[in-house]
Amino acid sequence: MAIDDASHRIIADLLASRTGQQLTESRRWRVSTALSGLFREIGIENVDQLACMLERPGEYRLATRVVEALLNNETYFFRDHVYFNTLASTVLPELAKKRASTRRLTIWSAGCSTGQEALSLAMIFAEQSGRWQDWTIEIVGTDISGKAIEQAQSGVYSQFEIQRGISVAQMLNFFAEAQGGWKVSEKIKAMTRFERQNILDFPPSPGKFDLVLCRNVLLYFAPETRRTAFDKLASGLASDGLLMLGAGETVVGQTDRFEPSGLGSALYCPAIGKAAAPRKSIENILRPAAATG
């Protein structure tokens, strides 16, 4: 194996051991680009030099920075509008019927990146305030990226970020100018909280969530790791809750924990009578990668 291939394998194994994500050949092209800022900061020129540094003892902090740089935090408000239209017109009204007695909804945005998905949901509730009057709405966003979660918790977005996906009316209604950009209003922020968490760990509130959004996250996992992720998502969902995946994702052939809900192509419900099959722990799944990284 050429040294360049070996270096990329070290980086790929590090990412897999920390996050479960695969750095496949189709994504290999973006490694140098994603790490270019880090290269300049620490005074190196290429992946080979970085790999040598990572092999030295005590480089945990550097390894963390490499992983943060490689994570794909691409997101924006109301990403894929058709999905949010389905949530507003079909999914949330359906959940409102199911939870009419408690008047409480709890939603998990898994792999929330910098928070725009969770805040977009909160804006839907705010725009439908008449329907949700006297309801308790809790939206929990989680992501493995500490940097992304810090921004989500701050609620501050640049002019570029604030213009992606929302209208001028929404910008003026739900944000205010602040130092460094635009800050989300307290009305919207009150419905959300953000935590750093790996989707492969235990869910933030087992068996509690009425709706789980996990869009464009599972694409980066190997099949066995993806099955583990589905098990974790299922364990966080209420027995009559709903899971929404991204456009390029499906449960078909991936897990027996979910089945189509009948509410849309991206929406799934827990499979009746299906419990989690015994599986390897995520530590065992990733052990070869962890040993290298």
Side-chain angles (χ1 to χ4, degrees), residues 86-108 121 125 131-132 135 137-138 208-213 237-244 261 263 267-270:
T86 298
L87 287 168
S89 63
T90 303
V91 175
L92 295 183
E94 182 69 20
L95 291 175
K97 294 176 187 176
K98 294 180 179 180
R99 302 294 181 263
S101 60
T102 62
R103 301 179 74 80
R104 181 184 185 91
L105 280 181
T106 308
I107 300 170
W108 178 18
L121 276 166
F125 285 108
R131 169 179 285 172
W132 302 105
W135 280 68
I137 307 297
E138 182 183 15
K208 174 182 178 181
F209 293 103
D210 305 301
L211 173 66
V212 174
L213 280 73
L237 199 61
S239 60
D240 59 349
L242 291 168
L243 168 69
M244 175 176 272
S261 67
L263 295 175
L267 288 158
Y268 303 91
C269 59

mmCIF file of all heavy atoms in Angstrom, residues 86-108 121 125 131-132 135 137-138 208-213 237-244 261 263 267-270:
data_model
loop_
_atom_site.group_PDB
_atom_site.id
_atom_site.type_symbol
_atom_site.label_atom_id
_atom_site.label_comp_id
_atom_site.label_asym_id
_atom_site.label_seq_id
_atom_site.Cartn_x
_atom_site.Cartn_y
_atom_site.Cartn_z
ATOM 1 N N THR A 86 -44.811 18.467 4.467
ATOM 2 C CA THR A 86 -45.468 17.239 4.926
ATOM 3 C C THR A 86 -45.612 17.235 6.445
ATOM 4 O O THR A 86 -46.657 16.841 6.983
ATOM 5 C CB THR A 86 -44.660 16.002 4.482
ATOM 6 O OG1 THR A 86 -44.616 15.969 3.055
ATOM 7 C CG2 THR A 86 -45.291 14.718 4.996
ATOM 8 N N LEU A 87 -44.581 17.705 7.135
ATOM 9 C CA LEU A 87 -44.654 17.783 8.591
ATOM 10 C C LEU A 87 -45.781 18.713 9.023
ATOM 11 O O LEU A 87 -46.589 18.372 9.898
ATOM 12 C CB LEU A 87 -43.323 18.273 9.162
ATOM 13 C CG LEU A 87 -42.159 17.284 9.123
ATOM 14 C CD1 LEU A 87 -40.849 17.992 9.452
ATOM 15 C CD2 LEU A 87 -42.391 16.132 10.103
ATOM 16 N N ALA A 88 -45.847 19.888 8.395
ATOM 17 C CA ALA A 88 -46.835 20.887 8.801
ATOM 18 C C ALA A 88 -48.262 20.474 8.470
ATOM 19 O O ALA A 88 -49.190 20.703 9.259
ATOM 20 C CB ALA A 88 -46.509 22.226 8.130
ATOM 21 N N SER A 89 -48.455 19.849 7.298
ATOM 22 C CA SER A 89 -49.812 19.565 6.835
ATOM 23 C C SER A 89 -50.335 18.190 7.208
ATOM 24 O O SER A 89 -51.550 17.969 7.283
ATOM 25 C CB SER A 89 -49.879 19.717 5.313
ATOM 26 O OG SER A 89 -49.040 18.760 4.677
ATOM 27 N N THR A 90 -49.429 17.231 7.450
ATOM 28 C CA THR A 90 -49.862 15.842 7.672
ATOM 29 C C THR A 90 -49.376 15.265 8.992
ATOM 30 O O THR A 90 -50.174 14.779 9.800
ATOM 31 C CB THR A 90 -49.359 14.944 6.520
ATOM 32 O OG1 THR A 90 -49.839 15.462 5.279
ATOM 33 C CG2 THR A 90 -49.849 13.512 6.704
ATOM 34 N N VAL A 91 -48.076 15.312 9.219
ATOM 35 C CA VAL A 91 -47.494 14.613 10.370
ATOM 36 C C VAL A 91 -47.905 15.257 11.692
ATOM 37 O O VAL A 91 -48.386 14.574 12.607
ATOM 38 C CB VAL A 91 -45.961 14.562 10.250
ATOM 39 C CG1 VAL A 91 -45.350 13.949 11.513
ATOM 40 C CG2 VAL A 91 -45.563 13.763 9.021
ATOM 41 N N LEU A 92 -47.714 16.572 11.828
ATOM 42 C CA LEU A 92 -48.032 17.215 13.094
ATOM 43 C C LEU A 92 -49.526 17.148 13.420
ATOM 44 O O LEU A 92 -49.885 16.893 14.587
ATOM 45 C CB LEU A 92 -47.516 18.653 13.096
ATOM 46 C CG LEU A 92 -45.986 18.797 13.024
ATOM 47 C CD1 LEU A 92 -45.584 20.254 13.100
ATOM 48 C CD2 LEU A 92 -45.307 17.995 14.133
ATOM 49 N N PRO A 93 -50.437 17.362 12.451
ATOM 50 C CA PRO A 93 -51.858 17.163 12.763
ATOM 51 C C PRO A 93 -52.172 15.740 13.220
ATOM 52 O O PRO A 93 -53.002 15.538 14.118
ATOM 53 C CB PRO A 93 -52.555 17.492 11.436
ATOM 54 C CG PRO A 93 -51.639 18.438 10.760
ATOM 55 C CD PRO A 93 -50.256 17.964 11.109
ATOM 56 N N GLU A 94 -51.520 14.752 12.616
ATOM 57 C CA GLU A 94 -51.731 13.362 13.030
ATOM 58 C C GLU A 94 -51.253 13.144 14.469
ATOM 59 O O GLU A 94 -51.938 12.487 15.271
ATOM 60 C CB GLU A 94 -50.977 12.426 12.080
ATOM 61 C CG GLU A 94 -51.146 10.950 12.356
ATOM 62 C CD GLU A 94 -52.537 10.430 12.072
ATOM 63 O OE1 GLU A 94 -53.286 11.085 11.315
ATOM 64 O OE2 GLU A 94 -52.895 9.375 12.621
ATOM 65 N N LEU A 95 -50.089 13.689 14.782
ATOM 66 C CA LEU A 95 -49.584 13.558 16.146
ATOM 67 C C LEU A 95 -50.452 14.332 17.137
ATOM 68 O O LEU A 95 -50.602 13.912 18.300
ATOM 69 C CB LEU A 95 -48.136 14.052 16.218
ATOM 70 C CG LEU A 95 -47.102 13.186 15.501
ATOM 71 C CD1 LEU A 95 -45.721 13.842 15.534
ATOM 72 C CD2 LEU A 95 -47.016 11.794 16.129
ATOM 73 N N ALA A 96 -51.017 15.456 16.693
ATOM 74 C CA ALA A 96 -51.896 16.232 17.576
ATOM 75 C C ALA A 96 -53.109 15.407 18.002
ATOM 76 O O ALA A 96 -53.554 15.487 19.153
ATOM 77 C CB ALA A 96 -52.344 17.507 16.876
ATOM 78 N N LYS A 97 -53.643 14.607 17.100
ATOM 79 C CA LYS A 97 -54.771 13.733 17.451
ATOM 80 C C LYS A 97 -54.350 12.701 18.491
ATOM 81 O O LYS A 97 -55.078 12.430 19.444
ATOM 82 C CB LYS A 97 -55.285 13.019 16.194
ATOM 83 C CG LYS A 97 -55.903 13.922 15.146
ATOM 84 C CD LYS A 97 -56.289 13.108 13.921
ATOM 85 C CE LYS A 97 -56.764 13.994 12.783
ATOM 86 N NZ LYS A 97 -57.052 13.198 11.561
ATOM 87 N N LYS A 98 -53.181 12.117 18.295
ATOM 88 C CA LYS A 98 -52.707 11.074 19.207
ATOM 89 C C LYS A 98 -52.408 11.621 20.601
ATOM 90 O O LYS A 98 -52.526 10.899 21.599
ATOM 91 C CB LYS A 98 -51.435 10.423 18.649
ATOM 92 C CG LYS A 98 -51.638 9.635 17.366
ATOM 93 C CD LYS A 98 -50.304 9.031 16.906
ATOM 94 C CE LYS A 98 -50.459 8.215 15.644
ATOM 95 N NZ LYS A 98 -49.172 7.620 15.195
ATOM 96 N N ARG A 99 -51.983 12.879 20.675
ATOM 97 C CA ARG A 99 -51.564 13.448 21.956
ATOM 98 C C ARG A 99 -52.549 14.490 22.484
ATOM 99 O O ARG A 99 -52.197 15.316 23.324
ATOM 100 C CB ARG A 99 -50.178 14.080 21.814
ATOM 101 C CG ARG A 99 -49.092 13.113 21.346
ATOM 102 C CD ARG A 99 -48.830 12.030 22.387
ATOM 103 N NE ARG A 99 -47.766 11.124 21.953
ATOM 104 C CZ ARG A 99 -47.975 9.956 21.371
ATOM 105 N NH1 ARG A 99 -49.234 9.552 21.152
ATOM 106 N NH2 ARG A 99 -46.969 9.178 20.994
ATOM 107 N N ALA A 100 -53.777 14.421 22.033
ATOM 108 C CA ALA A 100 -54.788 15.402 22.451
ATOM 109 C C ALA A 100 -55.018 15.381 23.957
ATOM 110 O O ALA A 100 -55.312 16.420 24.573
ATOM 111 C CB ALA A 100 -56.104 15.147 21.724
ATOM 112 N N SER A 101 -54.878 14.223 24.588
ATOM 113 C CA SER A 101 -55.146 14.116 26.023
ATOM 114 C C SER A 101 -54.040 14.749 26.865
ATOM 115 O O SER A 101 -54.303 15.323 27.926
ATOM 116 C CB SER A 101 -55.317 12.647 26.425
ATOM 117 O OG SER A 101 -54.135 11.905 26.141
ATOM 118 N N THR A 102 -52.797 14.661 26.388
ATOM 119 C CA THR A 102 -51.684 15.215 27.157
ATOM 120 C C THR A 102 -51.278 16.608 26.690
ATOM 121 O O THR A 102 -50.649 17.356 27.448
ATOM 122 C CB THR A 102 -50.446 14.305 27.056
ATOM 123 O OG1 THR A 102 -50.020 14.235 25.678
ATOM 124 C CG2 THR A 102 -50.768 12.905 27.553
ATOM 125 N N ARG A 103 -51.609 16.931 25.441
ATOM 126 C CA ARG A 103 -51.231 18.217 24.838
ATOM 127 C C ARG A 103 -49.727 18.469 25.001
ATOM 128 O O ARG A 103 -49.291 19.547 25.400
ATOM 129 C CB ARG A 103 -52.056 19.372 25.422
ATOM 130 C CG ARG A 103 -53.547 19.194 25.206
ATOM 131 C CD ARG A 103 -54.349 20.319 25.795
ATOM 132 N NE ARG A 103 -54.256 21.540 25.014
ATOM 133 C CZ ARG A 103 -54.961 21.790 23.887
ATOM 134 N NH1 ARG A 103 -55.784 20.880 23.409
ATOM 135 N NH2 ARG A 103 -54.830 22.933 23.252
ATOM 136 N N ARG A 104 -48.971 17.459 24.634
ATOM 137 C CA ARG A 104 -47.519 17.546 24.733
ATOM 138 C C ARG A 104 -46.895 16.780 23.573
ATOM 139 O O ARG A 104 -47.302 15.657 23.273
ATOM 140 C CB ARG A 104 -47.033 16.951 26.056
ATOM 141 C CG ARG A 104 -45.525 17.022 26.250
ATOM 142 C CD ARG A 104 -45.092 16.334 27.534
ATOM 143 N NE ARG A 104 -43.652 16.527 27.741
ATOM 144 C CZ ARG A 104 -43.108 17.513 28.419
ATOM 145 N NH1 ARG A 104 -43.889 18.398 29.025
ATOM 146 N NH2 ARG A 104 -41.804 17.618 28.538
ATOM 147 N N LEU A 105 -45.917 17.386 22.916
ATOM 148 C CA LEU A 105 -45.168 16.727 21.857
ATOM 149 C C LEU A 105 -43.676 16.856 22.143
ATOM 150 O O LEU A 105 -43.190 17.938 22.493
ATOM 151 C CB LEU A 105 -45.467 17.348 20.486
ATOM 152 C CG LEU A 105 -46.749 16.937 19.758
ATOM 153 C CD1 LEU A 105 -46.820 17.643 18.413
ATOM 154 C CD2 LEU A 105 -46.815 15.433 19.565
ATOM 155 N N THR A 106 -42.967 15.759 21.941
ATOM 156 C CA THR A 106 -41.521 15.747 22.123
ATOM 157 C C THR A 106 -40.883 15.205 20.849
ATOM 158 O O THR A 106 -41.243 14.129 20.376
ATOM 159 C CB THR A 106 -41.125 14.863 23.314
ATOM 160 O OG1 THR A 106 -41.874 15.266 24.461
ATOM 161 C CG2 THR A 106 -39.647 15.012 23.621
ATOM 162 N N ILE A 107 -39.943 15.964 20.294
ATOM 163 C CA ILE A 107 -39.351 15.665 18.993
ATOM 164 C C ILE A 107 -37.839 15.626 19.124
ATOM 165 O O ILE A 107 -37.229 16.436 19.832
ATOM 166 C CB ILE A 107 -39.770 16.731 17.951
ATOM 167 C CG1 ILE A 107 -41.296 16.744 17.804
ATOM 168 C CG2 ILE A 107 -39.108 16.472 16.599
ATOM 169 C CD1 ILE A 107 -41.823 17.901 16.982
ATOM 170 N N TRP A 108 -37.233 14.673 18.419
ATOM 171 C CA TRP A 108 -35.768 14.525 18.423
ATOM 172 C C TRP A 108 -35.241 14.767 17.018
ATOM 173 O O TRP A 108 -35.609 14.077 16.070
ATOM 174 C CB TRP A 108 -35.408 13.121 18.901
ATOM 175 C CG TRP A 108 -33.930 12.797 18.913
ATOM 176 C CD1 TRP A 108 -32.879 13.653 18.875
ATOM 177 C CD2 TRP A 108 -33.365 11.481 18.995
ATOM 178 N NE1 TRP A 108 -31.693 12.970 18.921
ATOM 179 C CE2 TRP A 108 -31.957 11.632 19.001
ATOM 180 C CE3 TRP A 108 -33.918 10.192 19.068
ATOM 181 C CZ2 TRP A 108 -31.101 10.542 19.053
ATOM 182 C CZ3 TRP A 108 -33.054 9.113 19.124
ATOM 183 C CH2 TRP A 108 -31.660 9.292 19.130
ATOM 184 N N LEU A 121 -38.517 23.477 12.703
ATOM 185 C CA LEU A 121 -39.684 22.851 13.319
ATOM 186 C C LEU A 121 -40.346 23.808 14.308
ATOM 187 O O LEU A 121 -41.578 23.944 14.333
ATOM 188 C CB LEU A 121 -39.274 21.572 14.039
ATOM 189 C CG LEU A 121 -39.175 20.311 13.194
ATOM 190 C CD1 LEU A 121 -38.428 19.224 13.960
ATOM 191 C CD2 LEU A 121 -40.556 19.816 12.805
ATOM 192 N N PHE A 125 -44.362 25.440 14.490
ATOM 193 C CA PHE A 125 -45.271 25.517 15.637
ATOM 194 C C PHE A 125 -45.665 26.968 15.919
ATOM 195 O O PHE A 125 -46.829 27.249 16.235
ATOM 196 C CB PHE A 125 -44.612 24.902 16.872
ATOM 197 C CG PHE A 125 -44.566 23.400 16.852
ATOM 198 C CD1 PHE A 125 -43.363 22.736 16.652
ATOM 199 C CD2 PHE A 125 -45.720 22.654 17.027
ATOM 200 C CE1 PHE A 125 -43.313 21.342 16.639
ATOM 201 C CE2 PHE A 125 -45.678 21.266 17.009
ATOM 202 C CZ PHE A 125 -44.479 20.612 16.811
ATOM 203 N N ARG A 131 -53.327 26.455 16.657
ATOM 204 C CA ARG A 131 -53.511 25.013 16.819
ATOM 205 C C ARG A 131 -52.788 24.501 18.062
ATOM 206 O O ARG A 131 -53.246 23.556 18.717
ATOM 207 C CB ARG A 131 -52.981 24.289 15.589
ATOM 208 C CG ARG A 131 -52.885 22.766 15.755
ATOM 209 C CD ARG A 131 -52.368 22.115 14.489
ATOM 210 N NE ARG A 131 -53.395 22.080 13.452
ATOM 211 C CZ ARG A 131 -53.181 21.707 12.195
ATOM 212 N NH1 ARG A 131 -51.955 21.362 11.823
ATOM 213 N NH2 ARG A 131 -54.156 21.698 11.314
ATOM 214 N N TRP A 132 -51.642 25.104 18.411
ATOM 215 C CA TRP A 132 -50.804 24.568 19.480
ATOM 216 C C TRP A 132 -50.880 25.363 20.771
ATOM 217 O O TRP A 132 -50.040 25.207 21.649
ATOM 218 C CB TRP A 132 -49.357 24.494 18.986
ATOM 219 C CG TRP A 132 -49.212 23.650 17.756
ATOM 220 C CD1 TRP A 132 -49.017 24.082 16.478
ATOM 221 C CD2 TRP A 132 -49.319 22.219 17.686
ATOM 222 N NE1 TRP A 132 -48.974 23.020 15.610
ATOM 223 C CE2 TRP A 132 -49.160 21.860 16.315
ATOM 224 C CE3 TRP A 132 -49.520 21.213 18.621
ATOM 225 C CZ2 TRP A 132 -49.203 20.544 15.885
ATOM 226 C CZ3 TRP A 132 -49.565 19.901 18.203
ATOM 227 C CH2 TRP A 132 -49.407 19.572 16.844
ATOM 228 N N TRP A 135 -50.194 23.894 24.397
ATOM 229 C CA TRP A 135 -49.421 22.660 24.253
ATOM 230 C C TRP A 135 -48.011 22.897 24.780
ATOM 231 O O TRP A 135 -47.481 24.013 24.746
ATOM 232 C CB TRP A 135 -49.326 22.237 22.786
ATOM 233 C CG TRP A 135 -50.551 21.538 22.266
ATOM 234 C CD1 TRP A 135 -51.790 22.086 22.063
ATOM 235 C CD2 TRP A 135 -50.645 20.169 21.869
ATOM 236 N NE1 TRP A 135 -52.656 21.136 21.569
ATOM 237 C CE2 TRP A 135 -51.983 19.946 21.433
ATOM 238 C CE3 TRP A 135 -49.752 19.104 21.827
ATOM 239 C CZ2 TRP A 135 -52.433 18.712 20.971
ATOM 240 C CZ3 TRP A 135 -50.183 17.875 21.363
ATOM 241 C CH2 TRP A 135 -51.509 17.681 20.953
ATOM 242 N N ILE A 137 -44.311 21.969 23.823
ATOM 243 C CA ILE A 137 -43.520 21.494 22.686
ATOM 244 C C ILE A 137 -42.054 21.469 23.090
ATOM 245 O O ILE A 137 -41.493 22.485 23.506
ATOM 246 C CB ILE A 137 -43.702 22.393 21.446
ATOM 247 C CG1 ILE A 137 -45.180 22.572 21.107
ATOM 248 C CG2 ILE A 137 -42.907 21.829 20.270
ATOM 249 C CD1 ILE A 137 -45.900 21.300 20.738
ATOM 250 N N GLU A 138 -41.440 20.305 22.958
ATOM 251 C CA GLU A 138 -40.015 20.166 23.272
ATOM 252 C C GLU A 138 -39.309 19.531 22.075
ATOM 253 O O GLU A 138 -39.670 18.443 21.643
ATOM 254 C CB GLU A 138 -39.810 19.298 24.510
ATOM 255 C CG GLU A 138 -38.338 19.152 24.903
ATOM 256 C CD GLU A 138 -38.146 18.225 26.086
ATOM 257 O OE1 GLU A 138 -39.077 17.472 26.439
ATOM 258 O OE2 GLU A 138 -37.045 18.245 26.659
ATOM 259 N N LYS A 208 -39.488 8.049 24.535
ATOM 260 C CA LYS A 208 -40.249 9.259 24.826
ATOM 261 C C LYS A 208 -40.706 10.021 23.584
ATOM 262 O O LYS A 208 -41.741 10.682 23.597
ATOM 263 C CB LYS A 208 -39.392 10.178 25.704
ATOM 264 C CG LYS A 208 -39.987 11.546 25.988
ATOM 265 C CD LYS A 208 -39.028 12.378 26.831
ATOM 266 C CE LYS A 208 -39.569 13.779 27.099
ATOM 267 N NZ LYS A 208 -38.631 14.598 27.903
ATOM 268 N N PHE A 209 -39.959 9.941 22.490
ATOM 269 C CA PHE A 209 -40.168 10.871 21.387
ATOM 270 C C PHE A 209 -41.359 10.480 20.513
ATOM 271 O O PHE A 209 -41.522 9.323 20.130
ATOM 272 C CB PHE A 209 -38.903 10.987 20.538
ATOM 273 C CG PHE A 209 -37.769 11.643 21.278
ATOM 274 C CD1 PHE A 209 -36.728 10.894 21.799
ATOM 275 C CD2 PHE A 209 -37.766 13.004 21.490
ATOM 276 C CE1 PHE A 209 -35.696 11.482 22.498
ATOM 277 C CE2 PHE A 209 -36.736 13.620 22.189
ATOM 278 C CZ PHE A 209 -35.701 12.854 22.696
ATOM 279 N N ASP A 210 -42.156 11.480 20.194
ATOM 280 C CA ASP A 210 -43.308 11.283 19.308
ATOM 281 C C ASP A 210 -42.879 11.320 17.848
ATOM 282 O O ASP A 210 -43.516 10.700 16.989
ATOM 283 C CB ASP A 210 -44.355 12.383 19.559
ATOM 284 C CG ASP A 210 -44.776 12.444 21.012
ATOM 285 O OD1 ASP A 210 -45.279 11.431 21.514
ATOM 286 O OD2 ASP A 210 -44.565 13.500 21.642
ATOM 287 N N LEU A 211 -41.821 12.040 17.567
ATOM 288 C CA LEU A 211 -41.298 12.178 16.204
ATOM 289 C C LEU A 211 -39.782 12.250 16.276
ATOM 290 O O LEU A 211 -39.230 12.978 17.107
ATOM 291 C CB LEU A 211 -41.860 13.447 15.555
ATOM 292 C CG LEU A 211 -41.292 13.851 14.189
ATOM 293 C CD1 LEU A 211 -41.643 12.821 13.111
ATOM 294 C CD2 LEU A 211 -41.822 15.238 13.783
ATOM 295 N N VAL A 212 -39.122 11.490 15.419
ATOM 296 C CA VAL A 212 -37.665 11.553 15.297
ATOM 297 C C VAL A 212 -37.317 11.898 13.859
ATOM 298 O O VAL A 212 -37.795 11.243 12.926
ATOM 299 C CB VAL A 212 -37.000 10.216 15.688
ATOM 300 C CG1 VAL A 212 -35.499 10.262 15.408
ATOM 301 C CG2 VAL A 212 -37.247 9.896 17.156
ATOM 302 N N LEU A 213 -36.512 12.927 13.664
ATOM 303 C CA LEU A 213 -35.983 13.269 12.350
ATOM 304 C C LEU A 213 -34.520 12.865 12.316
ATOM 305 O O LEU A 213 -33.726 13.311 13.159
ATOM 306 C CB LEU A 213 -36.105 14.760 12.070
ATOM 307 C CG LEU A 213 -37.474 15.281 11.622
ATOM 308 C CD1 LEU A 213 -38.453 15.293 12.790
ATOM 309 C CD2 LEU A 213 -37.359 16.689 11.037
ATOM 310 N N LEU A 237 -37.989 6.146 20.342
ATOM 311 C CA LEU A 237 -39.294 6.512 19.806
ATOM 312 C C LEU A 237 -40.421 5.899 20.625
ATOM 313 O O LEU A 237 -40.339 4.749 21.070
ATOM 314 C CB LEU A 237 -39.384 6.025 18.357
ATOM 315 C CG LEU A 237 -40.438 6.634 17.440
ATOM 316 C CD1 LEU A 237 -40.222 8.132 17.275
ATOM 317 C CD2 LEU A 237 -40.388 5.952 16.074
ATOM 318 N N ALA A 238 -41.491 6.641 20.810
ATOM 319 C CA ALA A 238 -42.697 6.091 21.425
ATOM 320 C C ALA A 238 -43.259 5.001 20.524
ATOM 321 O O ALA A 238 -43.016 4.987 19.311
ATOM 322 C CB ALA A 238 -43.727 7.196 21.633
ATOM 323 N N SER A 239 -44.029 4.086 21.093
ATOM 324 C CA SER A 239 -44.524 2.932 20.338
ATOM 325 C C SER A 239 -45.396 3.332 19.161
ATOM 326 O O SER A 239 -45.505 2.591 18.180
ATOM 327 C CB SER A 239 -45.292 1.989 21.259
ATOM 328 O OG SER A 239 -46.403 2.661 21.845
ATOM 329 N N ASP A 240 -46.021 4.514 19.234
ATOM 330 C CA ASP A 240 -46.858 4.992 18.132
ATOM 331 C C ASP A 240 -46.256 6.237 17.469
ATOM 332 O O ASP A 240 -46.956 7.014 16.832
ATOM 333 C CB ASP A 240 -48.278 5.292 18.614
ATOM 334 C CG ASP A 240 -48.311 6.352 19.713
ATOM 335 O OD1 ASP A 240 -47.228 6.699 20.251
ATOM 336 O OD2 ASP A 240 -49.409 6.850 20.039
ATOM 337 N N GLY A 241 -44.942 6.413 17.640
ATOM 338 C CA GLY A 241 -44.274 7.579 17.070
ATOM 339 C C GLY A 241 -43.902 7.378 15.614
ATOM 340 O O GLY A 241 -44.172 6.339 15.004
ATOM 341 N N LEU A 242 -43.256 8.387 15.049
ATOM 342 C CA LEU A 242 -42.889 8.371 13.633
ATOM 343 C C LEU A 242 -41.422 8.754 13.459
ATOM 344 O O LEU A 242 -40.883 9.586 14.196
ATOM 345 C CB LEU A 242 -43.750 9.365 12.845
ATOM 346 C CG LEU A 242 -45.235 9.017 12.692
ATOM 347 C CD1 LEU A 242 -46.006 10.211 12.151
ATOM 348 C CD2 LEU A 242 -45.417 7.808 11.785
ATOM 349 N N LEU A 243 -40.784 8.130 12.476
ATOM 350 C CA LEU A 243 -39.404 8.421 12.089
ATOM 351 C C LEU A 243 -39.399 9.002 10.683
ATOM 352 O O LEU A 243 -40.013 8.441 9.774
ATOM 353 C CB LEU A 243 -38.555 7.147 12.111
ATOM 354 C CG LEU A 243 -37.164 7.223 11.466
ATOM 355 C CD1 LEU A 243 -36.228 8.108 12.285
ATOM 356 C CD2 LEU A 243 -36.559 5.817 11.306
ATOM 357 N N MET A 244 -38.707 10.131 10.503
ATOM 358 C CA MET A 244 -38.531 10.715 9.173
ATOM 359 C C MET A 244 -37.070 10.616 8.768
ATOM 360 O O MET A 244 -36.185 11.086 9.492
ATOM 361 C CB MET A 244 -38.983 12.177 9.127
ATOM 362 C CG MET A 244 -38.691 12.861 7.788
ATOM 363 S SD MET A 244 -39.317 14.566 7.651
ATOM 364 C CE MET A 244 -40.984 14.243 7.040
ATOM 365 N N SER A 261 -45.029 3.966 7.198
ATOM 366 C CA SER A 261 -46.139 4.453 8.016
ATOM 367 C C SER A 261 -47.414 4.694 7.217
ATOM 368 O O SER A 261 -48.491 4.809 7.794
ATOM 369 C CB SER A 261 -45.738 5.772 8.690
ATOM 370 O OG SER A 261 -45.588 6.796 7.700
ATOM 371 N N LEU A 263 -47.817 7.460 5.595
ATOM 372 C CA LEU A 263 -47.986 8.914 5.581
ATOM 373 C C LEU A 263 -47.053 9.607 4.593
ATOM 374 O O LEU A 263 -47.135 10.817 4.426
ATOM 375 C CB LEU A 263 -47.744 9.482 6.982
ATOM 376 C CG LEU A 263 -48.748 9.061 8.059
ATOM 377 C CD1 LEU A 263 -48.324 9.605 9.416
ATOM 378 C CD2 LEU A 263 -50.149 9.555 7.712
ATOM 379 N N LEU A 267 -41.424 8.486 5.739
ATOM 380 C CA LEU A 267 -41.944 8.350 7.092
ATOM 381 C C LEU A 267 -42.179 6.894 7.459
ATOM 382 O O LEU A 267 -42.796 6.147 6.703
ATOM 383 C CB LEU A 267 -43.249 9.140 7.227
ATOM 384 C CG LEU A 267 -43.051 10.660 7.235
ATOM 385 C CD1 LEU A 267 -44.332 11.372 6.840
ATOM 386 C CD2 LEU A 267 -42.594 11.119 8.614
ATOM 387 N N TYR A 268 -41.699 6.535 8.649
ATOM 388 C CA TYR A 268 -41.766 5.149 9.098
ATOM 389 C C TYR A 268 -42.259 5.098 10.537
ATOM 390 O O TYR A 268 -42.117 6.065 11.302
ATOM 391 C CB TYR A 268 -40.389 4.495 8.988
ATOM 392 C CG TYR A 268 -39.832 4.552 7.583
ATOM 393 C CD1 TYR A 268 -39.035 5.623 7.170
ATOM 394 C CD2 TYR A 268 -40.128 3.567 6.655
ATOM 395 C CE1 TYR A 268 -38.544 5.703 5.873
ATOM 396 C CE2 TYR A 268 -39.640 3.628 5.356
ATOM 397 C CZ TYR A 268 -38.851 4.698 4.973
ATOM 398 O OH TYR A 268 -38.370 4.769 3.694
ATOM 399 N N CYS A 269 -42.832 3.961 10.898
ATOM 400 C CA CYS A 269 -43.300 3.746 12.264
ATOM 401 C C CYS A 269 -42.654 2.478 12.807
ATOM 402 O O CYS A 269 -42.167 1.643 12.037
ATOM 403 C CB CYS A 269 -44.823 3.637 12.304
ATOM 404 S SG CYS A 269 -45.488 2.307 11.289
ATOM 405 N N PRO A 270 -42.637 2.312 14.125
ATOM 406 C CA PRO A 270 -42.051 1.089 14.686
ATOM 407 C C PRO A 270 -42.784 -0.146 14.177
ATOM 408 O O PRO A 270 -44.013 -0.163 14.089
ATOM 409 C CB PRO A 270 -42.249 1.271 16.198
ATOM 410 C CG PRO A 270 -42.321 2.751 16.385
ATOM 411 C CD PRO A 270 -43.035 3.270 15.176
#
